[in-house]
Structure formats: structure tokens, C-alpha cells
Amino acid sequence: MPEGDTAHRTARRLHAALAGRVVTRFDLRVPSAATADLRGETVHEVFARGKHLLHRIGEHTLHTHLRMEGEWHVHARGTPWRRPAYQARAVVGADDVETVGFELGIVELLLTRDEADAVGHLGPDPLSPDWDEAEAVRRLSRDARPAHVALLDQRNLAGFGTEYVNELLFLRGVAPTTPMAEVDAAALVALGVRTIRRNVDQVVRSFTGDSRRGRNLWVYGRDRRPCLRCGTPIRKGSMGPDPTRERRVYWCPSCQKTTQSRQLPPSAG
């Protein structure tokens, strides 16, 4: 699942392929920007902010987001794409290289001076040079909502998605329904920073220290399977800031203690 580490790893690859190069192919396959043409402009840089990707090209910024299924591929020009052409949403190419964004959740072109319109709402990013740990802790600490909801809010801390949130709460022994005000926000943030900085350079994301698939996650996607720590079956439910934005929640009822009044009913799905 694409999260902050995926976005930053993708940005590094795109930057290495395009930075300093003159654009020779530019094709945005979305109605709002289908006529845009930045051929002849120079790619200044490609970087990530949280889970967002930004290409600075000339005086413009191409803003994209991977969402659940998105990917950016780098190809030698003229070689076959590894996914169907109908899935392509953005193509940025130079003389001998072509980068293609498939199934992107967001594709928009804006002036670089207006970049804040796209990402200005984001909280501190632990993978960005301007990371501010104290500010991230402050934002989380003032959020009265359940820990799972507060940690997923990109305005508090940018880059952690559903997989990270479920795994980090397990590692800290925090039930997802626990009010954030009752959680040691500083310890949670510090753990998240160490984890995402380690994972950004890994082929397989791991929270257990074991990179083998099926052994790299404590709770995420493991509902009804035994907890790797205590053997209790992992539970699954849903929660979010409102019913239209619920996300999957996975937890171990033994390792992540909660009071009866704050229990999250398991999902039937």
C-alpha cells in the first residue's frame, strides 16, 4: 500500500531520471489538464511531501497522489510499458527516458507559486528536510479524537497511512479507540519516525524486523489470525472521523488493552 515511504522512494527515482532534463513529452490524461503542454521546459526537481508527489517543471508543479493503486514507472524511451496504456494518467519524458504515472488518484497542474493550495495543509513530514518533531507532537497532543483517527489525519503528521497507523498503535500497545490525549504522543511520533526512515530504503516494508512477506506485519490485514506476539486472534473493524471516511482498523485485544466502553465492534467483512 503506498504511504509516505513509497512516495519518497518514488520521488527519488523520478528525480534521478528527470532532474535537469528538458521535457520532450508531456501528456496528462485527465480532463482538467489534457491540453497542458510543458515540452521545452526544464524539470527542476521531483520531491514528495507526505504521500503527495510534486514535479517542479519550469514555473509549474505537477501534483500527483498514488492513492491505493497508483504507481510511477521509469522506462528507457521506446521500451514497452509494464502496465496497460489505458491506466496511464501522466507521462513526462526527456530525450532517452519516459516516466509514466498509472492509476494516479490525483493529477493536477498548478503554478509553483500556488503549490501551497495542494500541500499547504499537511503537517510535518518525517522524511522531509524540514521535519519538525516538536510540531508534530504538538498537533497530535491537541487532537481529542481516537488515536487511530488522529494519527491518520495528514494535517497532524504527513505520510502515515492505514498500514502504518495500525502497526504503530500495536507496537505502542495502544488500542485504536484510545483518545489521543491519553497517549504518549512524543513516544508514538518517535517510533513512527524511526520506522518510516528505516522502511524508506527497504524493498519490503517491515514493522516486525522480519522482511519475509507474511511475517513483516503485526496486525494489518491479519484479522482472525493469531497475534505474532501472544496468539490472540487479531480483530478487524472500521472507524474514521465520520461514516463517509472510515478506514480499516486491525488490533490485538490482548496486546492493545482498552476499556469496555471504548471497544470497537469487529467488522463482519
PDB file of all heavy atoms in Angstrom, residues 28 53 73 77 110 180 202 224:
ATOM      1  N   LEU A  28      -0.894  14.675 -19.915  1.00  0.00           N
ATOM      2  CA  LEU A  28      -1.731  14.457 -18.745  1.00  0.00           C
ATOM      3  C   LEU A  28      -3.091  13.973 -19.219  1.00  0.00           C
ATOM      4  O   LEU A  28      -3.803  14.703 -19.917  1.00  0.00           O
ATOM      5  CB  LEU A  28      -1.871  15.742 -17.916  1.00  0.00           C
ATOM      6  CG  LEU A  28      -0.571  16.357 -17.408  1.00  0.00           C
ATOM      7  CD1 LEU A  28      -0.861  17.565 -16.530  1.00  0.00           C
ATOM      8  CD2 LEU A  28       0.274  15.336 -16.658  1.00  0.00           C
ATOM      9  N   LEU A  53       3.249  13.692  -4.475  1.00  0.00           N
ATOM     10  CA  LEU A  53       4.424  13.837  -5.328  1.00  0.00           C
ATOM     11  C   LEU A  53       4.327  15.138  -6.114  1.00  0.00           C
ATOM     12  O   LEU A  53       3.251  15.480  -6.625  1.00  0.00           O
ATOM     13  CB  LEU A  53       4.526  12.658  -6.300  1.00  0.00           C
ATOM     14  CG  LEU A  53       4.948  11.341  -5.653  1.00  0.00           C
ATOM     15  CD1 LEU A  53       4.464  10.163  -6.478  1.00  0.00           C
ATOM     16  CD2 LEU A  53       6.462  11.286  -5.514  1.00  0.00           C
ATOM     17  N   HIS A  73       6.302   4.622 -13.100  1.00  0.00           N
ATOM     18  CA  HIS A  73       7.334   3.761 -13.664  1.00  0.00           C
ATOM     19  C   HIS A  73       8.327   4.599 -14.460  1.00  0.00           C
ATOM     20  O   HIS A  73       7.949   5.622 -15.057  1.00  0.00           O
ATOM     21  CB  HIS A  73       6.725   2.715 -14.596  1.00  0.00           C
ATOM     22  CG  HIS A  73       5.889   1.694 -13.890  1.00  0.00           C
ATOM     23  ND1 HIS A  73       5.284   0.646 -14.552  1.00  0.00           N
ATOM     24  CD2 HIS A  73       5.552   1.552 -12.571  1.00  0.00           C
ATOM     25  CE1 HIS A  73       4.612  -0.097 -13.687  1.00  0.00           C
ATOM     26  NE2 HIS A  73       4.758   0.446 -12.483  1.00  0.00           N
ATOM     27  N   ARG A  77      13.242   5.247 -23.125  1.00  0.00           N
ATOM     28  CA  ARG A  77      12.302   5.675 -24.163  1.00  0.00           C
ATOM     29  C   ARG A  77      12.216   4.637 -25.282  1.00  0.00           C
ATOM     30  O   ARG A  77      13.223   4.125 -25.757  1.00  0.00           O
ATOM     31  CB  ARG A  77      12.747   7.015 -24.743  1.00  0.00           C
ATOM     32  CG  ARG A  77      11.729   7.639 -25.676  1.00  0.00           C
ATOM     33  CD  ARG A  77      12.099   9.060 -26.015  1.00  0.00           C
ATOM     34  NE  ARG A  77      11.089   9.686 -26.828  1.00  0.00           N
ATOM     35  CZ  ARG A  77      11.126  10.947 -27.225  1.00  0.00           C
ATOM     36  NH1 ARG A  77      12.129  11.727 -26.853  1.00  0.00           N
ATOM     37  NH2 ARG A  77      10.157  11.456 -27.967  1.00  0.00           N
ATOM     38  N   LEU A 110      -0.445  23.078 -11.550  1.00  0.00           N
ATOM     39  CA  LEU A 110      -0.626  24.406 -10.992  1.00  0.00           C
ATOM     40  C   LEU A 110       0.685  25.172 -11.067  1.00  0.00           C
ATOM     41  O   LEU A 110       1.754  24.587 -11.271  1.00  0.00           O
ATOM     42  CB  LEU A 110      -1.110  24.328  -9.546  1.00  0.00           C
ATOM     43  CG  LEU A 110      -0.253  23.588  -8.523  1.00  0.00           C
ATOM     44  CD1 LEU A 110      -0.548  24.109  -7.115  1.00  0.00           C
ATOM     45  CD2 LEU A 110      -0.552  22.087  -8.543  1.00  0.00           C
ATOM     46  N   MET A 180      -6.572  10.358  21.872  1.00  0.00           N
ATOM     47  CA  MET A 180      -5.178  10.745  21.652  1.00  0.00           C
ATOM     48  C   MET A 180      -4.615  11.483  22.867  1.00  0.00           C
ATOM     49  O   MET A 180      -3.412  11.384  23.158  1.00  0.00           O
ATOM     50  CB  MET A 180      -5.085  11.632  20.399  1.00  0.00           C
ATOM     51  CG  MET A 180      -3.682  11.839  19.899  1.00  0.00           C
ATOM     52  SD  MET A 180      -2.891  10.322  19.334  1.00  0.00           S
ATOM     53  CE  MET A 180      -1.246  10.589  19.986  1.00  0.00           C
ATOM     54  N   GLN A 202      13.911   0.157   2.224  1.00  0.00           N
ATOM     55  CA  GLN A 202      13.713  -1.284   2.168  1.00  0.00           C
ATOM     56  C   GLN A 202      12.825  -1.689   0.986  1.00  0.00           C
ATOM     57  O   GLN A 202      11.902  -0.961   0.627  1.00  0.00           O
ATOM     58  CB  GLN A 202      13.074  -1.791   3.467  1.00  0.00           C
ATOM     59  CG  GLN A 202      13.850  -1.437   4.725  1.00  0.00           C
ATOM     60  CD  GLN A 202      15.264  -1.956   4.688  1.00  0.00           C
ATOM     61  OE1 GLN A 202      15.519  -3.120   4.356  1.00  0.00           O
ATOM     62  NE2 GLN A 202      16.217  -1.094   5.042  1.00  0.00           N
ATOM     63  N   ARG A 224      -8.414 -12.360  12.310  1.00  0.00           N
ATOM     64  CA  ARG A 224      -8.730 -13.751  12.668  1.00  0.00           C
ATOM     65  C   ARG A 224      -7.496 -14.644  12.739  1.00  0.00           C
ATOM     66  O   ARG A 224      -7.599 -15.793  13.146  1.00  0.00           O
ATOM     67  CB  ARG A 224      -9.775 -14.358  11.716  1.00  0.00           C
ATOM     68  CG  ARG A 224     -11.135 -13.675  11.789  1.00  0.00           C
ATOM     69  CD  ARG A 224     -12.185 -14.443  11.016  1.00  0.00           C
ATOM     70  NE  ARG A 224     -11.934 -14.434   9.585  1.00  0.00           N
ATOM     71  CZ  ARG A 224     -12.359 -13.478   8.761  1.00  0.00           C
ATOM     72  NH1 ARG A 224     -13.050 -12.448   9.242  1.00  0.00           N
ATOM     73  NH2 ARG A 224     -12.115 -13.540   7.484  1.00  0.00           N
TER      74      ARG A 224
END
